[in-house]
């Protein structure tokens, strides 16, 4: 009996071998897996390319034909090296009745049925764990690498079976798929599961007249609002039971957050109204702050614990997994920042950068922050997108008051007016009342350190004009000169004024591209006012998209009204090219100087005052009356002298 049983077992084994042989030699048993790139979800940046990537297919089940034809079905077998994994994962016994042959077939069938019953999410979780086990057990695998220009890559010469395909460097397998006699050449498309984020400036509502769409760069003035638009979308959350979705924004020192975040999900399909029978509609879903998300703004600190002046904005989406069935739905976040007095002046720009933190491993139990379940804990698997950065540029003007010899002059006061003024950072001086001050204020608004001379007193009354005290606003109140940096808010007529410092300098900073008029309101004592205003046209050329440098280029065009060459002195008659990066010197009414391009932070301009009086030469009698009268008197005196001499001779 025992002998007969052994013979039957041998015969059965031979049948299996022959069956396998039939499978091997019938119509060939090699298959292939082709991996294709993905166009993403339609949002820029979600495209996934296979170019240059390496993919590996691990065989986690072998496949056998149940008969001589495909219609007979396929039997999947568990590799010996993975039996322990399957038994633990699906909680299956490794044997049923002690019969090795029967237990193997039963076990294979149980595993096959368990895998077939998995839904999409469960299958993704299974694939991740099976990949780990396959790599640890060193089961059969094959690798292929795509070329730098390839849009797809094929792993060929694969025995029939069930495979898990890995994208090297990815957080999870891209697929679990079968090769059988009916589907020998399988294909899979990489799914764009990593979310992206993109930040721009809304050019339709900012203060830069040159921008009309979403842009990465703009120019503006201190006090202006910069409107931002952040675009992202609902990612693929297959296999996740919890998902972290956090926007982190960093405002540079020169930008003040206005705490005006609005989040919408445009084009969301609303469910039909059961009570009215209305059909489904596409609407914009506006998320509610506090209920759907939170916003927190904190001061950024360096490693030493000192504040850097930057502001960190954190937008945390609450219970983000609720949007799981809305994959690809756009998320639009808008808010603004105001340019402040700490803004970077010049070509470098004021950056504003944003990143997105997101969950990137679905089969790991969430490790949330104990203080906030919608934020990841220190050991939670999360990813971070690359930074998306915008830049806002600001410039300024520095005037230097000098005489004809280049000596610095003090006491001058200037006014600047323009269409891009909002708040202007002024560096100059002001005079404050001080008991130990050394300055007096004159009635013409200027200041002097010269003590007043009292008028002569006659008969108990002071004789006006015999001293200098009548020129003083007060002979007892004294002032001190104080250097300052302040922000002046524009008046209704868009004008601000400032007095030059002891070096004859005054700065008007925080300006955007636009037209400005500079007028000298007061000249230094003993000097003439600049006769005509100076008009300055400032232009800004921002970097092109994709440029390696984020620096902008500022250009100024100076124009003086009423051309008068005798009052113009511009760098000793140098050419326009020679003037670049130099300082124009303006005496009075003059000429347009085209395209002065500066690479420094602030445009500099020397304004020259001439001493002495400007006497009229045309258009009025002026001093001519004195010359004519004097000549008549001299002539009369000569005639009288000659007449007297003749009378003496005649006598």
């Amino acid at each position: 009996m025992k002998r007969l049983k052994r013979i039957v077992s041998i015969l059965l084994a031979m049948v299996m071998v022959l069956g396998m042989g039939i499978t091997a030699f019938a119509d060939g048993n090699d298959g292939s897996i082709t991996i294709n790139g993905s166009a993403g979800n339609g949002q820029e940046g979600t495209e996934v390319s296979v170019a240059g990537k390496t993919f590996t297919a691990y065989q986690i089940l072998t496949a056998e034909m149940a008969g001589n034809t495909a219609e007979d079905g396929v039997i999947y077998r568990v590799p010996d090296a993975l039996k322990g994994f399957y038994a633990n994962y699906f909680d299956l016994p490794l044997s049923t009745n002690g019969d090795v042959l029967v237990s193997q077939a039963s076990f294979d069938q149980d595993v096959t049925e368990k895998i077939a019953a998995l839904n999409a999410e469960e299958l993704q979780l299974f694939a991740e764990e099976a990949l780990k086990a396959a790599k640890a057990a060193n089961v059969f695998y094959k690798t292929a690498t795509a070329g730098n220009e390839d849009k797809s890559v094929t792993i060929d010469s694969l025995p029939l079976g069930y495979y898990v395909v890995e994208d090297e460097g990815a957080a999870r397998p891209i697929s679990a798929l079968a090769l059988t006699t009916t589907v020998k050449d399988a294909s899979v498309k990489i799914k764009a599961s990593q979310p992206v984020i993109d930040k721009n400036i809304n050019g339709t509502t900012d203060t830069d007249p040159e921008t009309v769409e979403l842009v990465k760069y703009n120019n503006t003035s201190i006090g202006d609002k910069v409107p931002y638009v952040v675009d992202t979308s609902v990612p693929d959350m297959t296999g996740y039971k919890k998902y972290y979705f956090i926007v982190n924004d960093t405002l540079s020192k020169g930008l003040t957050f206005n705490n005006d975040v609005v989040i919408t999900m445009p084009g969301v399909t609303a469910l039909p109204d059961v009570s009215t029978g209305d059909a489904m509609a596409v609407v914009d879903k506006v998320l509610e702050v506090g209920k759907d998300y939170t916003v927190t703004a904190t001061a950024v600190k360096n490693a030493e614990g000192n504040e850097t002046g930057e502001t960190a904005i954190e937008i945390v989406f609450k219970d983000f997994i609720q949007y799981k069935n809305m994959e690809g739905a756009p998320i639009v976040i808008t808010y603004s920042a105001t340019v402040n007095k700490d803004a970077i002046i010049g070509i470098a720009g004021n950056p504003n950068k944003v990143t997105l933190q997101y969950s990137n491993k679905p089969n790991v139990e969430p490790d949330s922050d104990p203080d906030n379940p919608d934020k990841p804990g220190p050991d939670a698997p999360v990813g971070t997108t690359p930074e998306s950065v915008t830049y806002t540029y600001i410039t300024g003007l520095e005037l230097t008051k000098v005489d004809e010899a280049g000596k610095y002059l003090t006491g001058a006061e200037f006014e600047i007016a323009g269409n891009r003024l909002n708040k202007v950072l002024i560096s100059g001086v002001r005079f404050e009342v001080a008991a130990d001050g050394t300055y007096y204020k004159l009635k013409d608004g200027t200041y002097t350190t010269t003590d007043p001379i009292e008028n002569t007193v006659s008969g108990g009354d002071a004789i006006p004009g015999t001293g200098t005290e009548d020129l003083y606003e007060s002979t007892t109140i004294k002032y001190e000169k104080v250097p300052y940096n302040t922000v002046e808010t524009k008046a209704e007529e868009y004008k601000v004024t400032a007095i030059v410092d002891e070096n004859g300098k005054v700065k008007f900073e925080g300006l955007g591209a636009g037209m400005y008029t500079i007028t000298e309101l007061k000249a230094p004592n003993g000097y003439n006012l600049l006769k005509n205003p100076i008009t300055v046209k400032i232009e800004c050329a921002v970097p092109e998209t994709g440029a390696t440098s984020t620096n902008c280029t500022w250009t100024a065009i100076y124009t003086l009204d009423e051309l008068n060459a005798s009052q113009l002195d511009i760098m000793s008659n140098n050419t326009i090219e020679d003037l670049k990066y130099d300082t124009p010197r303006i005496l009075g009414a003059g000429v347009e100087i085209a395209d002065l391009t500066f690479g420094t932070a602030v445009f500099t301009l020397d304004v020259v005052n001439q001493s002495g009086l400007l006497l009229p030469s045309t258009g009025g009698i002026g001093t001519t009356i004195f010359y004519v009268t004097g000549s008549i008197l001299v002539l009369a005196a000569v005639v009288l002298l000659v007449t007297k001499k003749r009378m003496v001779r005649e006598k």
Side-chain angles (χ1 to χ4, degrees):
M1 188 68 179
K2 289 183 179 179
R3 185 178 179 185
L4 179 62
K5 190 173 182 179
R6 283 198 297 271
I7 293 172
V8 171
S9 297
I10 293 171
L11 290 173
L12 287 173
M14 290 176 66
V15 169
M16 283 191 63
V17 171
L18 289 172
M20 293 175 66
I22 293 172
T23 302
F25 293 107
D27 196 29
N29 72 337
D30 282 352
S32 67
I33 299 174
T34 299
I35 301 98
N36 300 288
S38 170
N41 56 19
Q43 181 182 358
E44 183 178 356
T46 61
E47 307 90 347
V48 179
S49 172
V50 301
K53 290 187 175 182
T54 298
F55 299 89
T56 304
Y58 291 88
Q59 189 183 49
I60 58 174
L61 293 175
T62 61
E64 302 172 1
M65 288 181 59
N68 294 332
T69 64
E71 286 74 15
D72 294 329
V74 178
I75 298 174
Y76 289 99
R77 301 295 189 192
V78 176
D80 289 342
L82 294 179
K83 285 182 178 179
F85 160 71
Y86 283 112
N88 291 329
Y89 192 85
F90 291 119
D91 193 21
L92 296 173
L94 285 173
S95 62
T96 54
N97 58 6
D99 190 311
V100 176
L101 182 62
V102 174
S103 64
Q104 174 70 51
S106 177
F107 185 74
D108 293 343
Q109 184 175 349
D110 288 343
V111 168
T112 303
E113 290 175 352
K114 289 287 186 180
I115 295 176
L118 297 176
N119 60 33
E121 293 183 12
E122 293 169 338
L123 184 60
Q124 181 64 49
L125 296 176
F126 162 74
E128 294 196 18
E129 295 305 315
L131 174 62
K132 294 178 184 177
K135 294 173 76 172
N138 196 30
V139 299
F140 173 83
Y141 66 91
K142 195 167 184 184
T143 297
T145 301
N148 292 330
E149 303 296 329
D150 290 347
K151 295 183 179 180
S152 65
V153 60
T154 299
I155 307 173
D156 54 18
S157 300
L158 293 173
L160 302 184
Y162 194 64
Y163 289 83
V164 174
V165 180
E166 179 191 35
D167 174 2
E168 287 190 7
R172 55 180 177 167
I174 64 171
S175 182
L177 72 165
L179 297 182
T180 68
T181 54
T182 54
V183 182
K184 294 175 58 178
D185 299 312
S187 64
V188 62
K189 180 181 289 186
I190 298 178
K191 196 167 188 178
S193 59
Q194 176 176 310
V196 296
I197 194 164
D198 186 30
K199 182 169 190 175
N200 291 282
I201 298 168
N202 189 348
T204 61
T205 59
D206 75 343
T207 60
D208 185 351
E210 298 299 321
T211 60
V212 293
E213 299 176 347
L214 295 180
V215 293
K216 291 292 183 183
Y217 313 100
N218 79 331
N219 75 86
T220 187
S221 303
I222 290 178
D224 283 340
K225 284 186 178 180
V226 182
Y228 297 109
V229 178
V230 175
D231 290 295
T232 183
S233 61
V234 177
D236 172 25
M237 291 185 273
T238 301
Y240 288 90
K241 295 182 179 179
K242 187 173 187 64
Y243 199 93
Y244 304 113
F245 200 81
I246 301 168
V247 175
N248 291 294
D249 191 297
T250 303
L251 294 172
S252 58
K253 190 175 181 180
L255 298 167
T256 301
F257 179 49
N258 292 321
N259 198 22
D260 53 356
V261 173
V262 175
I263 302 178
T264 58
M265 299 178 72
V268 174
T269 302
L271 295 176
D273 190 333
V274 178
S275 61
T276 62
D278 292 341
M280 298 177 69
V282 177
V283 298
D284 287 351
K285 177 180 176 62
V286 180
L287 304 190
E288 184 178 340
V289 63
K291 177 184 176 182
D292 299 315
Y293 65 94
T294 60
V295 180
T296 306
T298 56
V300 176
K301 296 183 179 181
N302 57 23
E304 290 73 33
N306 300 318
E307 294 186 1
T308 64
E310 298 173 302
T311 303
I313 303 167
E314 183 184 66
I315 303 173
V316 179
F317 285 76
K318 304 182 74 172
D319 190 26
F320 191 76
I321 197 71
Q322 65 180 298
Y323 309 114
K324 187 173 186 177
N325 296 326
M326 298 169 59
E327 179 183 349
I331 300 173
V332 180
I333 308 170
T334 62
Y335 51 94
S336 69
T338 299
V339 182
N340 62 47
K341 65 181 181 62
D342 294 322
I344 298 171
I345 309 295
I347 62 175
N350 296 268
N352 179 210
K353 53 191 177 182
V354 66
T355 60
L356 176 66
Q357 188 180 47
Y358 59 92
S359 298
N360 69 350
K361 210 170 184 71
N363 61 328
V364 175
E365 190 68 25
D367 178 25
S368 300
D369 186 322
D371 297 325
N372 188 343
D374 293 300
K375 294 178 63 176
D379 298 324
V382 291
T384 303
T385 63
E387 292 180 346
S388 180
V389 189
T390 63
Y391 291 87
T392 295
Y393 304 97
I394 301 170
T395 190
L397 292 167
E398 179 185 280
L399 307 182
T400 302
K401 199 65 180 172
V402 296
D403 64 12
E404 295 168 279
K407 177 184 176 183
Y408 295 140
L409 299 177
T410 61
E413 182 176 347
F414 288 94
E415 173 189 83
I416 185 170
N419 63 348
R420 292 296 301 280
L421 291 178
N422 195 321
K423 293 185 178 181
V424 181
L425 178 62
I426 298 175
S427 301
V429 296
R430 63 170 176 260
F431 291 88
E432 297 179 351
V433 176
D436 57 349
T438 58
Y439 287 86
Y440 296 92
K441 186 176 183 180
L442 301 176
K443 289 181 178 179
D444 65 1
T446 60
Y447 295 82
T448 181
T449 56
T450 304
D451 292 329
I453 300 173
E454 294 182 356
N455 290 326
T456 302
V457 178
S458 176
D461 296 325
I463 303 174
T466 55
T468 61
E469 62 177 306
D470 295 334
L471 302 176
Y472 289 70
E473 189 175 89
S474 171
T475 58
T476 58
I477 300 176
K478 289 190 174 183
Y479 298 80
E480 65 175 346
K481 183 165 62 173
V482 180
Y484 74 104
N485 291 295
T486 187
V487 174
E488 296 286 349
T489 303
K490 70 181 182 184
E492 290 299 323
E493 61 273 19
Y494 301 86
K495 296 179 180 179
V496 293
T497 61
I499 301 171
V500 301
D501 62 16
E502 64 274 10
N503 294 318
K505 297 182 182 297
V506 61
K507 287 183 181 180
F508 297 101
E509 296 183 324
L511 309 178
M515 294 292 297
Y516 300 94
T517 301
I518 303 168
T519 304
E520 186 175 23
L521 301 180
K522 293 185 177 70
N525 291 337
Y527 289 86
N528 299 313
L529 277 173
L530 193 64
K531 182 181 178 183
N532 297 296
I534 304 167
T535 300
V536 183
K537 181 182 180 182
I538 297 178
E539 298 176 342
C540 180
V542 300
E544 294 183 1
T545 302
T548 56
S549 173
T550 58
N551 289 349
C552 74
T553 300
W554 290 102
T555 301
I557 300 175
Y558 298 87
T559 305
L560 294 99
D561 299 332
E562 302 175 12
L563 179 62
N564 185 341
S566 65
Q567 292 183 321
L568 178 66
D569 175 22
I570 306 174
M571 295 302 293
S572 302
N573 297 318
N574 285 347
T575 65
I576 295 298
E577 287 300 317
D578 292 334
L579 282 172
K580 290 190 176 182
Y581 300 96
D582 285 330
T583 303
R585 301 181 70 242
I586 295 180
L587 285 168
V591 68
E592 178 176 303
I593 311 168
D595 298 334
L596 296 182
T597 303
F598 286 71
T600 54
V602 177
F603 291 102
T604 56
L605 179 67
D606 285 353
V607 180
V608 183
N609 277 126
Q610 294 173 312
S611 59
L613 297 175
L614 290 177
L615 301 179
S617 58
T618 60
I621 193 168
T623 57
T624 305
I625 185 66
F626 299 106
Y627 300 138
V628 173
T629 303
S631 299
I632 293 173
L633 291 175
V634 171
L635 181 59
V638 171
V639 171
L640 181 59
L641 180 61
V642 171
T643 302
K644 283 185 177 181
K645 287 184 177 180
R646 287 179 178 176
M647 291 176 64
V648 171
R649 290 195 196 101
E650 290 176 357
K651 289 180 179 182

